[in-house]
Amino acid sequence: MTPKEIVIAYYENILKPDMIRPYLHPQMRVQWTGERGYLELSADELLAMIAQFSVRYASARFELTHIIEEENRVAVRYEHYVCTLEEPGKEILFSRAIGFWRTKEEKMYFGYVSSYRVQ
């Protein structure tokens, strides 16, 4: 897979920890700046956070709006949509984000993500 294909597959399956684990390098690190401030996460910590998020919402999806690949680096811009447990039929725009990813050995190795909540 190309780095771009790896990143696309990651975002297509991001809310399914078992599905994205194969795309994550064992030494993966993510530096994330968002509503909670600055977080630095390992692959296992990222998967745990995703699992927590998955039980808080009836459904969620990510829509990639931009994606650029250069060698083993990929930049993305995306929007995150959710349906709340209280209103499972009403999808809302939850957040917007950009991510810069580096791959190694055909896996996601390092990422920097900056996100902000829309609501």
Side-chain angles (χ1 to χ4, degrees):
M1 293 177 82
T2 68
K4 182 177 176 178
E5 290 169 335
I6 293 166
V7 172
I8 289 171
Y10 167 80
Y11 281 104
E12 286 176 347
N13 296 291
I14 195 168
L15 296 174
K16 304 170 196 159
D18 292 339
M19 295 286 291
I20 65 167
R21 184 175 289 281
Y23 300 109
L24 307 182
H25 193 279
Q27 284 96 34
M28 177 192 190
R29 302 297 301 163
V30 179
Q31 295 178 348
W32 187 347
T33 303
E35 185 177 289
R36 296 186 202 172
Y38 176 80
L39 299 172
E40 189 160 329
L41 305 167
S42 67
D44 289 336
E45 291 166 329
L46 178 66
L47 290 168
M49 190 170 79
I50 290 168
Q52 288 177 355
F53 188 87
S54 297
V55 298
R56 292 183 186 158
Y57 294 93
S59 66
R61 69 180 176 89
F62 288 78
E63 184 176 308
L64 293 175
T65 59
H66 299 77
I67 186 161
I68 300 168
E69 175 185 34
E70 184 177 295
E71 298 176 0
N72 70 330
R73 296 179 304 272
V74 180
V76 295
R77 181 198 178 269
Y78 58 90
E79 295 180 338
H80 182 192
Y81 295 87
V82 298
C83 292
T84 64
L85 296 172
E86 297 80 19
E87 294 185 78
K90 182 181 177 185
E91 185 177 71
I92 59 169
L93 176 59
F94 182 74
S95 66
R96 290 190 172 107
I98 57 170
F100 300 96
W101 295 97
R102 189 171 61 216
T103 62
K104 180 178 178 182
E105 301 166 358
E106 294 191 9
K107 296 184 183 286
M108 311 244 325
Y109 179 68
F110 179 79
Y112 174 79
V113 176
S114 180
S115 65
Y116 67 93
R117 202 164 179 175
V118 175
Q119 302 176 17

